[in-house]
Amino acid sequence: MSAHVHLPSGPLTVLAIGAHPDDIEIGCGGALLSLERRGAVDVRMLVMTGTEERRAEARHGARLFGASREPVLPGLLDARLPEHWGAVKDAMHDFRDSSPSPDIVFAPRVDDAHQDHALVGSLASTVWRGPLLLHYEIPKWDGDQGRPNVYLPLADDVAVDKVGRLNEAYPSQHSRVWWDDEFFFSILRLRGAEAATRYAEAFTTRKLTFALS
């Protein structure tokens, strides 16, 4: 059984949290581009780690994917976030307190195989208790594809735009063995098949509250 839920037509505030530069764009870049086309959306990003080069890419990526302002970049150490639990928690609380109350929060999956992703994803539900919290997936060599329960169909040109903007924003990642157009389109196509469409992004949510009025 599946259900179709439509967002309200008015202005939306969206917060996106990533452990590393490119996490957000890989995980929910299509959603952000779709929201940008919808209009009346305020998108803000928090990215925990990154060298100076990678933080510059994150700023460029935020602009390409519709962020309303520069991302918040604490500059914590990649692959060491569990060791700095308190700093991660503080950064998320500071980001929450300095941002408008969100309608949607995007964060990594709680069961992601990468320890940085998992920590950020698990803390998100303790920092934001009211809005819709969607945990995005970050495909990689770990082979930890989960079983999502929320799908966002993407228009064909949005999927193409997402992959093109990923390549433009993150040239430092082009040498990675998994980084190519075929990889990104294959995930979008797989999730699209699961959602009875061509392309889609997939998410997990633990709790969903809906109103009948």
Side-chain angles (χ1 to χ4, degrees), residues 72-129:
V72 177
L73 303 166
L76 300 175
L77 289 177
D78 185 359
R80 295 291 186 272
L81 289 187
E83 182 180 348
H84 301 282
W85 188 98
V88 175
K89 180 81 164 177
D90 288 344
M92 294 175 76
H93 277 281
D94 290 345
F95 182 62
R96 180 198 64 188
D97 295 343
S98 64
S99 301
S101 178
D103 300 287
I104 304 172
V105 176
F106 290 108
R109 278 178 31 219
V110 175
D111 60 344
D112 192 290
H114 194 296
Q115 69 275 3
D116 290 354
H117 301 162
L119 176 61
V120 172
S122 64
L123 287 177
S125 63
T126 71
V127 177
W128 288 277
R129 296 184 181 274

Side-chain angles (χ1 to χ4, degrees), residues 24-76:
I24 292 170
E25 294 90 337
I26 291 173
C28 61
L32 296 179
L33 292 174
S34 298
L35 285 165
E36 183 181 37
R37 291 188 177 193
R38 171 190 179 276
V41 60
D42 179 8
V43 175
R44 306 190 185 200
M45 298 182 181
L46 169 65
V47 181
M48 293 294 178
T49 70
T51 62
E52 183 176 347
E53 177 190 23
R54 295 279 278 143
R55 293 199 300 275
E57 289 182 333
R59 294 185 187 97
H60 188 39
R63 290 190 292 271
L64 288 176
F65 282 84
S68 308
R69 58 186 61 198
E70 293 279 290
V72 177
L73 303 166
L76 300 175

Side-chain angles (χ1 to χ4, degrees), residues 62-204:
R63 290 190 292 271
L64 288 176
F65 282 84
S68 308
R69 58 186 61 198
E70 293 279 290
V72 177
L73 303 166
L76 300 175
L77 289 177
D78 185 359
R80 295 291 186 272
L81 289 187
E83 182 180 348
H84 301 282
W85 188 98
V88 175
K89 180 81 164 177
D90 288 344
M92 294 175 76
H93 277 281
D94 290 345
F95 182 62
R96 180 198 64 188
D97 295 343
S98 64
S99 301
S101 178
D103 300 287
I104 304 172
V105 176
F106 290 108
R109 278 178 31 219
V110 175
D111 60 344
D112 192 290
H114 194 296
Q115 69 275 3
D116 290 354
H117 301 162
L119 176 61
V120 172
S122 64
L123 287 177
S125 63
T126 71
V127 177
W128 288 277
R129 296 184 181 274
L132 175 62
L133 176 55
L134 295 176
H135 295 278
Y136 58 77
E137 58 182 352
I138 307 170
K140 52 194 174 301
W141 70 275
D142 300 86
D144 65 334
Q145 295 301 99
R147 295 183 62 85
N149 55 18
V150 179
Y151 293 84
L152 176 67
L154 301 179
D156 288 7
D157 60 333
V158 169
V160 171
D161 204 12
K162 171 183 175 174
V163 175
R165 294 189 191 205
L166 274 170
N167 285 323
E168 179 181 345
Y170 293 101
S172 71
Q173 303 304 291
H174 292 183
S175 62
R176 292 185 176 272
V177 67
W178 53 268
W179 186 290
D180 60 34
D181 291 5
E182 185 177 12
F183 174 76
F184 292 123
F185 280 118
S186 67
I187 301 301
L188 296 174
R189 183 69 185 96
L190 171 65
R191 295 314 189 194
E194 293 172 352
T197 187
R198 181 162 180 79
Y199 295 120
E201 287 179 337
F203 307 89
T204 303

